[in-house]
Amino acid sequence: MFGKRSLDQESRAPAPPPAPAAGAAIATRPKRMEQPLETAEPTETAAPTRAAGPKPTAALQQLKTAQASVAAPEATQIVREQSDYYHATKSTIYNALLNTIDLSQLAQLNLKEAGEEIRDIVAELVAIKNVSMSVAEQEHLVQDIINDVLGYGPLEPLLGRDDIADIMVNGAQRVFIEVGGKVQLTNVRFRDNAQLMNICQRIVSQVGRRVDESSPICDARLPDGSRVNVIAPPLALDGPTLTIRKFKKDKLTMKNLVEYSSISAEGARVLGVIGASRCNVLISGGTGSGKTTLLNTLTAFIDPTERVITCEDAAELQLQQPHVVRLETRPANLEGQGAIHMRDLVKNCLRMRPERIIVGEVRGPEAFDLLQAMNTGHDGSMGTLHANSPREAISRMESMITMGGFGLPSKTIREMIVGSIDVIVQAARLRDGSRRITHITEVLGLEGEVVITQDLFVYEITGEDANGMVIGKHRSTGIARPRFWDRARYYGLERELADALDGSEDR
């Protein structure tokens, strides 16, 4: 059974630190936090002390998730306070496990069989070494070791929770999460920086990338599309730094955005007309403002018969149309060659008979190629960029084209922007952590060298409640006939647009 050695020999391996005496067990046993950092719900109750074996059925069910992801335990378990004895015992059992099994044969088993095998061996090792733990703690220990071998180690419980938006690992001992727009410190930690680095390499290798001293910065993604960034020593001074932007399992729709008050019902109808009538859209916003989520919701209005091509640094978009081609950039190899940049992908799109081109994030000279595509028959193209207002988004587009070395006059660049972009949608993350669509802005034209815009909808902050949550409302500016009216009429959507604008005025 894949090279398992005698466990009696393993019993001579260094044992974990001696367990506390019976009289001191209560004082030294891991304490439950009175106020968990990640949740205000009541803390976990003590596990029963009856002799009960491990529950392989539940564990193996957890192992069925994609790429060895394990379903999360309760939120209070994530922040349980683990003693040094627990971590030392886990390290000892883990090392003994690696000396007991043949990893090459383990890799040939499917996920379910591998989980069963590891669970059986760990249970034997725990019995041999006389580990002094409760049944619940032994179950946590077994699950943690399975996560270390088959999954993403201490990150597994966090990845399984749908209420977490971001996971930020600052070295082996500091793990932060974002819940409800607020950043919180957890008690999750890694054995050391070596374990954290191994998990980072495991993540990036799944998409054919690498991270090491020669290539210490890497963008990747998890199997569910969650965005991953890794920066390793020597650039990260306090150990490997891992940042994961998680995506919800249930994809958000425009209806969900209305329910969350990110946009009004009338504004959502206008956005639907904009998406369906093939307006060229630029989504602007700061980091974490929801640009990619908004782009995903807008693509839901694309006709299923259209051929859509997406270009991204790390594939995040989750389009539901049947005819989608997804392209992703590629970093250079060890020799510094073979890199494929965003601009290469956008230029190649024009040879692939696209009807819409969607650029995940515009960061550099590819802005010029995107504008060219928008202005040469690929109506309905979309992209995102970092900016704090629609006016600033236009300035950033101009700056990125200028930095590309094209040598064009400013007026020419602005004429390209005006002729290409129809609507700018501004997303923002407010001080209370909530996300709002603050502007739906049309690009009208050029007067002299000044780009003229007009707002269709704006979000006005009126105050905050007793809990510090921002209070505001979306307001129509009263524009009854936007510039893209003729385009909406061409697609038979002028009545829908008129009803949305009339309804917003009544409010």
Side-chain angles (χ1 to χ4, degrees):
M1 189 163 50
F2 67 158
K4 186 193 299 185
R5 304 193 184 104
S6 171
L7 292 177
D8 292 334
Q9 297 177 359
E10 294 302 328
S11 64
R12 295 195 292 269
I26 297 177
T28 58
R29 180 158 294 178
K31 297 181 293 184
R32 304 297 177 189
M33 300 182 64
E34 296 180 1
Q35 189 72 16
L37 293 175
E38 297 176 36
T39 177
E41 297 176 358
T43 54
E44 179 185 24
T45 57
T49 57
R50 61 183 175 84
K55 302 174 182 178
T57 304
L60 295 178
Q61 183 65 29
Q62 292 174 342
L63 288 169
K64 289 181 180 180
T65 51
Q67 296 295 327
S69 296
V70 181
E74 294 298 325
T76 52
Q77 296 175 357
I78 294 177
V79 297
R80 67 184 186 275
E81 191 171 339
Q82 297 171 344
S83 65
D84 292 337
Y85 174 74
Y86 177 91
H87 288 286
T89 302
K90 177 182 171 183
S91 179
T92 301
I93 298 295
Y94 179 79
N95 292 332
L97 174 69
L98 294 184
N99 292 329
T100 302
I101 62 177
D102 186 340
L103 293 178
S104 62
Q105 294 189 28
L106 179 67
Q108 298 176 7
L109 301 178
N110 61 40
L111 208 55
K112 180 177 179 180
E113 293 172 343
E116 290 176 342
E117 197 68 37
I118 293 173
R119 176 174 288 277
D120 292 342
I121 298 175
V122 170
E124 294 179 36
L125 289 171
V126 167
I128 289 174
K129 295 184 180 297
N130 295 321
V131 173
S132 178
M133 288 183 176
S134 69
V135 174
E137 288 169 336
Q138 289 187 29
E139 183 67 21
H140 291 319
L141 177 68
V142 172
Q143 194 61 62
D144 285 347
I145 292 177
I146 291 177
N147 291 342
D148 286 348
V149 177
L150 300 178
Y152 302 131
L155 296 178
E156 286 287 358
L158 302 179
L159 292 171
R161 281 182 55 183
D162 205 32
D163 61 328
I164 295 177
D166 290 274
I167 302 172
M168 296 151 280
V169 183
N170 302 346
Q173 305 301 316
R174 305 277 286 178
V175 179
F176 294 82
I177 61 172
E178 180 191 318
V179 179
K182 301 295 183 181
V183 176
Q184 305 169 6
L185 174 66
T186 73
N187 285 344
V188 174
R189 67 181 187 180
F190 296 80
R191 286 194 306 275
D192 49 34
N193 285 332
Q195 182 197 15
L196 174 56
M197 194 65 189
N198 287 336
I199 290 175
C200 293
Q201 291 171 341
R202 186 179 303 174
I203 291 173
V204 303
S205 64
Q206 292 177 341
V207 291
R209 302 192 178 186
R210 61 187 178 85
V211 56
D212 49 37
E213 289 188 1
S214 62
S215 179
I217 300 178
C218 182
D219 289 317
R221 67 180 185 278
L222 294 178
D224 65 355
S226 297
R227 182 191 313 169
V228 177
N229 175 266
V230 180
I231 181 165
L235 301 187
L237 302 181
D238 299 322
T241 300
L242 172 66
T243 308
I244 301 176
R245 171 68 54 81
K246 289 178 76 275
F247 286 163
K248 289 183 177 293
K249 296 176 183 177
D250 298 327
K251 302 175 182 64
L252 293 179
T253 63
M254 194 63 71
K255 180 180 179 182
N256 296 136
L257 297 186
V258 174
E259 293 171 351
Y260 297 151
S261 300
S262 294
I263 185 64
S264 65
E266 293 76 19
R269 294 174 68 184
V270 171
L271 288 177
V273 173
I274 289 172
S277 60
R278 301 192 64 169
C279 294
N280 293 324
V281 180
L282 188 64
I283 298 176
S284 167
T287 300
S289 60
K291 298 186 300 297
T292 303
T293 299
L294 179 56
L295 183 56
N296 269 322
T297 58
L298 276 179
T299 58
F301 299 100
I302 296 177
D303 191 284
T305 62
E306 296 181 25
R307 176 176 169 87
V308 183
I309 301 180
T310 67
C311 304
E312 302 174 81
D313 281 319
E316 303 173 70
L317 296 174
Q318 301 168 319
L319 275 65
Q320 303 304 304
Q321 282 69 23
H323 198 167
V324 176
V325 180
R326 304 170 69 206
L327 305 180
E328 187 177 54
T329 60
R330 185 180 70 184
N333 58 19
L334 287 172
E335 291 76 25
Q337 300 177 348
I340 304 296
H341 300 291
M342 182 67 75
R343 193 175 179 204
D344 300 322
L345 295 183
V346 176
K347 287 194 296 186
N348 189 74
C349 280
L350 303 179
R351 307 184 183 99
M352 298 174 65
R353 201 233 173 244
E355 290 182 285
R356 297 205 196 207
I357 298 174
I358 298 179
V359 178
E361 186 169 336
V362 181
R363 298 181 181 178
E366 67 270 9
F368 178 81
D369 300 284
L370 178 61
L371 292 181
Q372 290 281 72
M374 289 178 170
N375 207 14
T376 54
H378 303 93
D379 294 337
S381 296
M382 303 179 185
T384 72
L385 59 76
H386 284 84
N388 295 323
S389 68
R391 176 67 59 182
E392 185 178 331
I394 295 173
S395 299
R396 285 216 64 207
M397 288 285 288
E398 183 179 348
S399 299
M400 287 186 287
I401 294 173
T402 302
M403 288 188 297
F406 296 99
L408 298 174
S410 295
K411 186 174 181 179
T412 302
I413 296 175
R414 291 171 188 170
E415 288 175 348
M416 286 183 58
I417 293 174
V418 168
S420 303
I421 299 174
D422 297 312
V423 178
I424 300 175
V425 183
Q426 181 71 32
R429 178 177 172 179
L430 306 183
R431 61 177 180 269
D432 62 352
S434 61
R435 295 169 173 85
R436 299 286 185 269
I437 297 173
T438 60
H439 294 79
I440 301 178
T441 302
E442 278 194 297
V443 180
L444 296 180
L446 204 62
E447 288 188 5
E449 294 189 358
V450 179
V451 177
I452 305 301
T453 62
Q454 71 177 7
D455 296 328
L456 299 181
F457 283 84
V458 296
Y459 181 75
E460 293 182 343
I461 297 176
T462 57
E464 63 180 39
D465 61 17
N467 298 321
M469 303 299 291
V470 172
I471 301 174
K473 64 178 181 179
H474 290 89
R475 178 183 62 83
S476 170
T477 58
I479 304 297
R481 194 179 181 89
R483 184 190 180 197
F484 59 88
W485 178 274
D486 291 337
R487 183 185 292 271
R489 184 172 57 187
Y490 177 77
Y491 287 95
L493 298 171
E494 76 277 8
R495 175 53 55 191
E496 175 74 12
L497 180 58
D499 290 344
L501 293 173
D502 290 344
S504 63
E505 290 178 2
D506 294 339
R507 291 168 65 91

